[in-house]
Amino acid sequence: MRKVLNFGCSHTAGAEIDEPWNGNRFDLAYGSILSKMLGCNIEQTAGNGWSNQWIQKNAFNVCLEYLDKKSKPLIVIGWTSIERVPLQFAGQQTVYHSTVHLPPEPKYYPVPNYAKIHNAVYGSYVNKPDAHEMGVLNILTFQSWLKEHNFPFLFFWAVNSVSPPVLEKYKNCFDPVRFYEPLDHTNSYWMYYQEKFWDKSERWKKHAPAEFHKHWAEKLYFYICKHKLLDTNV
């Protein structure tokens, strides 16, 4: 049976489907639903606050395991906010993952001085145009690598925060079929949810309910079938 390898941030992990600040529900997330619709097995690798750097690192390492295999899995990646970076404190091995916003209360900080380093990183370099450009180039490099090694794949923006000038500059570099609507912010997972599904309640302000995961899975399923993305020669 073919396999789907699914990577992303908290949206891919099914965060908060059960309760706010509660554990992830991979089994109810769009990737799990999509794999069943395609008749494939699923391997999901995603986490809360993950950056594109971390998503790409994990995706690349898993793909290496299939490099010499004739039958390649379908790679599905929901890329996240372009300005996120993994945070690591001097003298520590642990890597912390965070959005540009601090957790609402200090009790959620991974370490006592977390706010200081978070503000130092997210208040300086990461929101500048160069950071957006390098983030996009990393994604495009991985896109080329997957093509070179004959992996079928589908990219989409789970959260598209790339500045319009950067998108415009590289608009002809995104694969026109295997990157779903890369230039349209309204067709990113999160913007589409906010505009079409969100009931404006505080409960579903940061992550989508199970019903939307089902809808997004159906959306990706029909796109994959239409463009025959399970084939490697697209």
Side-chain angles (χ1 to χ4, degrees), residues 59-78:
F60 184 77
N61 286 335
V62 174
C63 286
L64 286 176
E65 300 173 14
Y66 296 87
L67 202 56
D68 298 324
K69 295 185 179 181
K70 185 176 180 180
S71 179
K72 299 287 200 300
L74 172 67
I75 313 302
V76 178
I77 300 182

Side-chain angles (χ1 to χ4, degrees), residues 127-213:
N127 289 314
K128 291 185 167 55
D130 284 349
H132 284 223
E133 188 166 356
M134 286 193 294
V136 168
L137 287 173
N138 284 337
I139 292 172
L140 293 175
T141 299
F142 191 52
Q143 173 186 275
S144 297
W145 186 86
L146 290 173
K147 286 184 178 182
E148 178 184 353
H149 294 284
N150 214 30
F151 280 91
F153 67 90
L154 174 62
F155 289 174
F156 66 90
W157 292 115
V159 183
N160 186 356
S161 61
V162 183
S163 65
V166 172
L167 284 178
E168 176 65 22
K169 182 175 181 178
Y170 294 100
K171 65 181 180 181
N172 295 322
C173 299
F174 297 101
D175 188 288
V177 173
R178 290 181 280 193
F179 203 130
Y180 176 72
E181 298 287 357
L183 307 179
D184 186 355
H185 285 75
T186 62
N187 270 315
S188 66
Y189 167 99
W190 187 240
M191 185 64 75
Y192 183 86
Y193 163 73
Q194 287 186 312
E195 293 190 353
K196 304 289 186 180
F197 278 79
W198 184 34
D199 60 6
K200 309 303 179 184
S201 68
E202 191 70 21
R203 170 66 180 90
W204 301 112
K205 183 178 180 180
K206 295 181 179 179
H207 294 99
E211 292 78 11
F212 181 72
H213 280 271

Side-chain angles (χ1 to χ4, degrees), residues 12-36:
T12 295
E16 296 191 298
I17 287 178
D18 280 341
E19 297 176 27
W21 291 93
N22 199 25
N24 299 327
R25 288 294 303 270
F26 283 97
D27 59 316
L28 297 178
Y30 73 84
S32 182
I33 301 167
L34 174 64
S35 66
K36 291 175 183 176

Side-chain angles (χ1 to χ4, degrees), residues 4-65:
V4 173
L5 301 180
N6 185 205
F7 304 91
C9 61
S10 56
H11 298 300
T12 295
E16 296 191 298
I17 287 178
D18 280 341
E19 297 176 27
W21 291 93
N22 199 25
N24 299 327
R25 288 294 303 270
F26 283 97
D27 59 316
L28 297 178
Y30 73 84
S32 182
I33 301 167
L34 174 64
S35 66
K36 291 175 183 176
M37 297 177 75
L38 292 170
C40 296
N41 291 325
I42 181 79
E43 182 177 332
Q44 295 156 289
T45 307
N48 299 343
W50 278 21
S51 63
N52 287 329
Q53 296 174 40
W54 205 253
I55 293 169
Q56 183 174 339
K57 170 185 177 293
N58 280 273
F60 184 77
N61 286 335
V62 174
C63 286
L64 286 176
E65 300 173 14

